[in-house]
Amino acid sequence: MEQNYQPEYYYRVDSYIGIREICKDELFRAARWQNGGRCWRHASLIAASNTLQPHEAIYRISFWKNEDDARKDLSARNCNEPHVMLRIKRDAVIEALHGWEFEEDDFLPGRAALIWCRTIKAGERFCDDGIPFSAFEVWEAGTWRPWFSADAVQPDRVRLARSGWLPIYLHEDRGVVLVHWYAVASSGATGKIWILLTTDERSPTNLGNNEYAIYQVANFLLSGPLKLVTGYVVGVLPIHVSSDNIWTEQYSVAVAEQPARSLTDRIFRRAGAPSRWEVKKEWVMRNREEHDLIVRSGLRGARPEAKDSAWLPKSF
């Protein structure tokens, strides 16, 4: 059994959603500290802030000194939303943050380390200096995994693919949008095959109220990968996952037997889109039926950063 007291390591507990944001950067960076608001009012940081110049800022990062305290912190925080425990060798932190101040955390003496610096202001949130991700390990499935092997840091295209979702690229005004899709038959009275869509977390936009994007997806899929189900009425369900909630819309998609006369269709034709399909926003499923589709798609397992409460039927 692994010993919980290993003085060569530091430990951290971060929210799962926070880890997803950190992954978008190139380094694990220290956050800016300001005297006031919600910041911990550490005595040394307060003293340094009293002589701070306008072009300077204070940046700090904290670590647990032992695994037991980190595990207790993880257990407490997981009651509200999913969190992740990390560890890193202390030598790696000292090397990456050379010249920084290493102190006892005055709020948690003997249990936590406070590491900080006073330097030229780099940004409103984070310092230019940081620690390489490769120095961290992540606690998952009962073992410590190297950072880049951990499920918590895998990109959407990897973790959604594991659940059977497939990629499709849309060309929007803001750039190329990567969308993941999954086809599943409704188990309710609607009798439809639904195409579930969710945008990649790194895409510049989502599909909210974007009927033309939904049309593009439906046209591509029903003319190619899902051509065999074009004889059925097909619904499209865009899904946006945040840490607190799941947002959805419902669209029906059907073969346009006659040229459509709606303003939307005319816009589509001017944009050069084929007129074979009609896309119409309409709510035809109850919350629980919609919830059942999302559960069966495996999306929750692919997006574990959302709170448990977000996945309840009442949240839709």
Side-chain angles (χ1 to χ4, degrees):
M1 181 175 179
E2 194 171 60
Q3 293 294 318
N4 285 343
Y5 290 95
Q6 300 185 62
E8 70 269 28
Y9 286 100
Y10 282 133
Y11 301 85
R12 276 188 62 87
V13 175
D14 291 275
S15 69
Y16 210 119
I17 197 76
I19 291 294
R20 301 304 302 174
E21 287 298 316
I22 290 170
C23 290
K24 298 176 183 178
D25 205 341
E26 298 176 350
L27 294 169
F28 198 110
R29 302 182 192 276
R32 185 179 176 187
W33 180 92
Q34 298 184 73
N35 186 9
R38 299 177 60 187
C39 290
W40 290 97
R41 294 174 59 79
H42 298 285
S44 55
L45 303 190
I46 292 174
S49 70
N50 290 333
T51 58
L52 206 62
Q53 300 299 310
H55 64 281
E56 292 181 318
I58 295 172
Y59 298 92
R60 46 82 68 182
I61 187 169
S62 295
F63 291 97
W64 290 107
K65 288 186 173 183
N66 66 77
E67 188 174 330
D68 278 354
D69 280 326
R71 288 191 180 279
K72 291 175 184 177
D73 188 27
L74 177 66
S75 179
R77 292 174 184 267
N78 271 342
C79 294
N80 297 316
E81 64 177 303
H83 278 68
V84 177
M85 182 169 65
L86 313 175
R87 79 174 182 182
I88 181 172
K89 289 190 174 181
R90 297 189 184 189
D91 288 346
V93 179
I94 294 171
E95 180 181 354
L97 302 180
H98 178 73
W100 287 45
E101 301 291 336
F102 284 69
E103 300 178 355
E104 289 282 325
D105 188 312
D106 45 352
F107 285 94
L108 297 164
R111 300 169 60 198
L114 173 66
I115 304 169
W116 64 279
C117 76
R118 171 179 173 171
T119 187
I120 303 299
K121 189 186 301 182
E124 291 302 315
R125 294 190 62 194
F126 298 105
C127 183
D128 282 344
D129 293 334
I131 306 169
F133 291 137
S134 58
F136 285 93
E137 294 176 278
V138 181
W139 180 258
E140 281 186 346
T143 190
W144 288 105
R145 292 179 175 175
W147 175 275
F148 291 109
S149 298
D151 289 342
V153 306
Q154 296 306 309
D156 255 6
R157 57 183 171 77
V158 172
R159 56 188 191 156
L160 283 164
R162 289 174 177 171
S163 294
W165 290 68
L166 299 172
I168 180 174
Y169 292 88
L170 299 179
H171 294 273
E172 296 282 288
D173 292 339
R174 299 184 192 179
V176 177
V177 178
L178 173 56
V179 177
H180 305 274
W181 66 274
Y182 188 98
V184 59
S186 171
S187 60
T190 57
K192 294 185 178 181
I193 294 176
W194 285 86
I195 303 170
L196 278 56
L197 306 176
T198 189
T199 49
D200 192 272
E201 64 184 353
R202 298 200 179 193
S203 291
T205 185
N206 59 52
L207 298 175
N209 295 312
N210 192 340
E211 192 168 334
Y212 181 59
I214 304 301
Y215 183 90
Q216 283 184 294
V217 172
N219 180 70
F220 172 80
L221 294 179
L222 294 175
S223 300
L226 298 179
K227 191 173 183 179
L228 294 179
V229 301
T230 55
Y232 299 89
V233 177
V234 177
V236 179
L237 183 69
I239 307 165
H240 177 69
V241 180
S242 70
S243 62
D244 298 304
N245 201 7
I246 311 297
W247 171 92
T248 64
E249 289 180 327
Q250 295 179 21
Y251 293 85
S252 64
V253 180
V255 176
E257 298 295 345
Q258 299 294 330
R261 300 176 182 178
S262 68
L263 174 61
T264 301
D265 242 13
R266 290 198 295 272
I267 293 173
F268 290 165
R269 291 199 181 95
R270 284 200 297 270
S275 58
R276 187 177 178 184
W277 311 104
E278 287 183 336
V279 175
K280 180 182 178 182
K281 183 188 289 188
E282 58 176 340
W283 293 90
V284 297
M285 285 191 294
R286 295 182 180 273
N287 287 348
R288 287 198 173 276
E289 187 180 353
E290 183 178 285
H291 175 259
D292 177 66
L293 291 181
I294 295 174
V295 168
R296 289 194 284 127
S297 75
L299 184 59
R300 182 173 183 174
R303 293 270 179 82
E305 62 269 25
K307 297 178 181 178
D308 289 345
S309 58
W311 298 102
L312 298 175
K314 64 182 181 182
S315 298
F316 295 94

